[in-house]
Structures are given as structure tokens and as C-alpha cells.
């Protein structure tokens, strides 16, 4: 017979510590979900009613707000760019962050290891506005570093912000430069938690560094890699607005390679001032993200149930 456990002092302390977080999620994550109905309304401000009153009295739109994402001539471009960029970011980002974490963990000098980790983590704290000016300092056709190097070497200056073919590579490089430091810290923390006796036993058996990585480190990192992969798949229909809008400086000739769902929604919101469109896009991205997370988790669970997210 199972004995019912009483609520003791430790339970009370842990519950008390969890209260601020629970209040934060309730106030900023669950209560605002009421605004989802904006996606199904032709919202128009009604004098004397305020936001809530105007929202409730606005005409019901059904799925009309969702149609604008698919009826625009740029629908194929923005969906293609959003999905393909995210696929590259997930695959290449995972490979690069894991590889760098493995290399840094093998450094003998503790000072060099900390300096390398800190220097690579620093770009994560920079805003995309600051990053856009860094990129402009390199790519400006007048005084950009790369443009000046091309001219001094006898080549022709490239109008970077007018030439779309270079920007898929530029955006991927900038994304990796800014984001790999954060992901690398997660993997380094996981590597630090691996039992040192496993490596000592491998060294006694004559295992090389590569064999230690292959048969000890990577298998131990597999659960965290798969969890981060599942979470990344959930954002495959979302994009980093700053990367695709600020870094290319909203250049018109680059629309075919920089137009993503978030950028298009922002332009539609500022141009048409219709918050229903923006809300519909957010709801669609969230629903599709949830479906993809469930699908990715199901696939991982079928392969190895211990590595699934839930």
C-alpha cells in the first residue's frame, strides 16, 4: 500500500521559490494569450471603447487574416527563405558549436580556454543594430574594408548591398559568428560533467584523443544535442528579424534572399497598420512550430526513448 506523502517544510520552501517564476509566466505568457483572438478579427479602434472593447466589438474575420500570408506574390519566397535558412542554421550551427566545444575542451591552458570561450561568447550580447554596423564597415562600397582591399589589389569594388548572390553566405556567417558562443557554452558545460574516470580508463587502454571523443564525449553529448535539436526545429518557421532586416539594411535588391516571414509581417504591419495580419502570422508560426516539435520528438523517441524531450 502506498503511503501518502505529507507536505513538509522543504516542499514549502521549494514552492515559495517557484512562485515568482510562476507569476511571471502567468502574467507574461498565459494572460496575453487572450490576444490570439486578434488573429480572427478585423480589428479597428472604436472611439470610447479602449483596446479590449474595440477588440470585442470588431468584426469577425474568420481566416481572412491568415490568407494574406499565402495570397501575396512573395509567399513562396518568404516561406522558402525562412525554412531553408533555418535548416542550414540548425545543421551547420550544431556541427560548428559541437566541434568548437570539443576543441576548446582539449586546450591544456586553463587561461587560454577561458579567454577563447569568453571571446566567442561576447558577440551573443551585441544587438543586431550594432552587428549591422560592423558588417557595413566591411561591406560598404565606399570605405568598407573588403572593398578597399579589392581596389588596392587591382580588383573591382563590389556593390554588396545591391548583389543578392553573396548574401546567403554572408547571413550564415554572421549568424554563426553571433550565435555559436552561446551554444558552445551549453556543450562545454555538458563536457565538464562527464566522469573523468572514463577518460582515464580509455587512456590506460591506449585510446587516442579522437577515440576518446568518438566513444566517450560524443555519446555523452548525444542527449543534449538531440534536445537542442528538437527545440530548434520548433522555430523553423520563425526567423531572427534583426539578422534579415537590420544586417542587410532593408535593401530592396536583396528582397529575394532576405525576405522571411517575420520581415514580411513587419513590413505589412508598418505599411498597412493591420495588427490582425501580424497576429495571424504569429499564431500560424506557433502552431506549426508545435507540430514540428511533436514530430521531431516522436522521431527521436522512436530511435531512443531516453533522448526524447518528453
Amino acid at each position: 500500500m502506498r503511503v501518502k506523502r505529507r507536505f513538509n517544510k522543504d516542499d514549502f520552501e521549494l514552492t515559495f521559490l517557484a512562485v515568482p517564476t510562476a507569476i511571471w509566466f502567468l502574467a507574461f505568457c498565459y494572460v496575453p494569450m487572450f490576444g490570439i483572438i486578434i488573429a480572427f478579427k478585423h480589428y479597428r479602434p472604436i472611439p470610447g471603447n479602449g483596446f479590449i472593447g474595440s477588440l470585442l466589438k470588431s468584426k469577425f474575420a474568420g481566416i481572412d487574416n491568415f490568407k494574406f500570408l499565402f495570397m501575396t506574390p512573395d509567399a513562396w519566397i518568404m516561406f522558402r527563405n525562412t525554412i531553408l535558412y533555418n535548416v542550414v542554421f540548425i545543421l551547420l550551427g550544431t556541427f560548428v558549436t559541437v566541434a568548437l566545444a570539443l576543441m576548446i575542451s582539449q586546450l591544456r591552458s586553463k587561461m587560454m580556454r577561458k579567454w577563447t570561450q569568453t571571446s566567442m561568447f561576447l558577440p551573443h550580447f551585441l544587438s543586431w543594430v550594432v552587428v549591422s554596423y560592423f558588417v557595413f564597415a566591411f561591406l560598404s562600397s565606399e570605405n568598407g574594408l573588403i572593398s578597399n582591399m579589392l581596389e588596392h589589389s587591382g580588383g573591382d569594388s563590389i556593390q554588396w548591398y545591391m548583389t543578392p548572390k553573396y548574401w546567403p553566405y554572408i547571413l550564415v556567417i554572421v549568424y554563426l559568428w553571433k550565435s555559436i558562443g552561446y551554444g558552445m557554452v551549453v556543450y562545454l558545460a555538458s563536457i565538464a560533467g562527464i566522469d573523468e574516470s572514463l577518460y582515464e580508463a580509455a587512456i590506460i587502454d591506449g585510446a587516442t584523443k579522437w577515440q576518446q571523443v568518438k566513444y566517450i564525449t560524443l555519446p555523452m553529448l548525444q542527449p543534449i544535442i538531440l534536445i537542442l535539436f528538437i527545440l530548434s526545429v520548433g522555430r523553423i518557421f520563425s526567423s531572427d528579424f534583426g539578422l534579415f532586416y537590420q544586417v542587410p539594411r532593408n535593401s530592396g535588391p536583396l528582397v529575394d534572399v532576405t525576405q522571411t516571414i517575420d520581415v514580411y509581417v513587419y513590413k505589412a504591419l508598418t505599411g498597412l497598420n493591420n495588427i490582425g495580419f501580424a497576429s495571424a502570422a504569429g499564431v500560424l508560426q506557433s502552431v506549426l512550430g508545435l507540430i514540428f516539435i511533436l514530430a521531431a520528438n516522436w522521431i527521436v523517441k522512436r530511435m531512443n526513448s531516453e533522448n526524447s524531450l518528453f
Side-chain angles (χ1 to χ4, degrees):
M1 181 178 178
R2 187 176 180 181
V3 180
K4 186 176 181 181
R5 186 171 177 271
R6 293 185 177 182
F7 194 82
N8 56 33
K9 181 179 178 181
D10 291 337
D11 294 330
F12 174 78
E13 292 176 352
L14 293 174
T15 304
F16 183 75
L17 289 173
V19 167
T21 303
I23 294 175
W24 187 92
F25 273 102
L26 181 66
F28 296 101
C29 295
Y30 289 97
V31 173
M33 288 181 69
F34 167 78
I36 288 177
I37 64 175
I38 299 176
F40 304 94
K41 290 273 192 173
H42 286 302
Y43 177 77
R44 294 291 184 274
I46 301 176
N49 285 272
F51 175 77
I52 301 297
S54 300
L55 178 60
L56 296 177
K57 293 182 180 180
S58 294
K59 183 180 178 181
F60 183 71
I63 62 172
D64 290 348
N65 290 331
F66 293 87
K67 292 180 180 178
F68 94 105
L69 283 172
F70 303 96
M71 297 180 64
T72 172
D74 296 331
W76 159 247
I77 294 176
M78 64 184 182
F79 275 97
R80 178 201 65 188
N81 290 343
T82 303
I83 295 174
L84 291 183
Y85 275 121
N86 278 315
V87 169
V88 174
F89 292 162
I90 292 172
L91 297 179
L92 192 59
T94 301
F95 174 79
V96 173
T97 50
V98 171
L100 288 174
L102 291 173
M103 287 188 287
I104 291 177
S105 66
Q106 297 298 320
L107 291 175
R108 294 181 180 275
S109 173
K110 185 179 293 186
M111 181 178 296
M112 178 60 70
R113 189 162 58 243
K114 289 184 177 180
W115 181 86
T116 305
Q117 180 180 340
T118 302
S119 62
M120 299 190 69
F121 192 43
L122 181 61
H124 172 74
F125 297 100
L126 300 178
S127 70
W128 282 115
V129 176
V130 175
V131 173
S132 69
Y133 280 101
F134 283 163
V135 175
F136 185 73
F138 281 90
L139 303 182
S140 173
S141 58
E142 297 179 358
N143 298 314
L145 178 61
I146 296 179
S147 298
N148 289 337
M149 291 174 62
L150 290 174
E151 291 179 357
H152 290 315
S153 62
D156 296 328
S157 178
I158 299 175
Q159 299 290 330
W160 297 99
Y161 290 92
M162 304 289 287
T163 312
K165 65 180 181 179
Y166 299 110
W167 278 90
Y169 307 100
I170 295 173
L171 293 174
V172 170
I173 292 172
V174 173
Y175 172 83
L176 292 176
W177 173 76
K178 190 175 188 298
S179 64
I180 58 175
Y182 181 81
M184 187 181 62
V185 170
V186 177
Y187 293 121
L188 282 172
S190 299
I191 293 173
I194 299 176
D195 190 353
E196 288 291 336
S197 63
L198 297 175
Y199 294 104
E200 294 173 359
I203 293 173
I204 293 175
D205 291 337
T208 62
K209 284 291 185 182
W210 167 243
Q211 289 173 330
Q212 294 174 40
V213 169
K214 183 179 180 181
Y215 295 108
I216 299 177
T217 309
L218 288 179
M220 290 294 183
L221 287 180
Q222 183 178 348
I224 189 65
I225 292 175
L226 291 175
I227 289 175
L228 293 178
F229 169 77
I230 293 172
L231 295 176
S232 299
V233 168
R235 290 185 51 81
I236 200 168
F237 284 95
S238 302
S239 61
D240 201 321
F241 173 77
L243 174 63
F244 293 97
Y245 185 82
Q246 297 289 352
V247 174
R249 306 179 73 84
N250 193 26
S251 177
L254 305 180
V255 168
D256 287 345
V257 294
T258 60
Q259 182 90 302
T260 62
I261 297 176
D262 295 89
V263 173
Y264 176 78
V265 169
Y266 173 78
K267 291 180 179 179
L269 180 61
T270 54
L272 302 176
N273 196 27
N274 191 326
I275 63 174
F277 290 169
S279 180
V283 171
L284 181 64
Q285 288 174 313
S286 299
V287 172
L288 292 176
L290 175 62
I291 294 173
F292 271 70
I293 282 183
L294 294 175
N297 185 77
W298 179 80
I299 294 173
V300 172
K301 194 171 184 178
R302 291 293 299 270
M303 297 171 59
N304 189 342
S305 60
E306 295 182 356
N307 294 332
S308 61
L309 187 59
F310 49 84

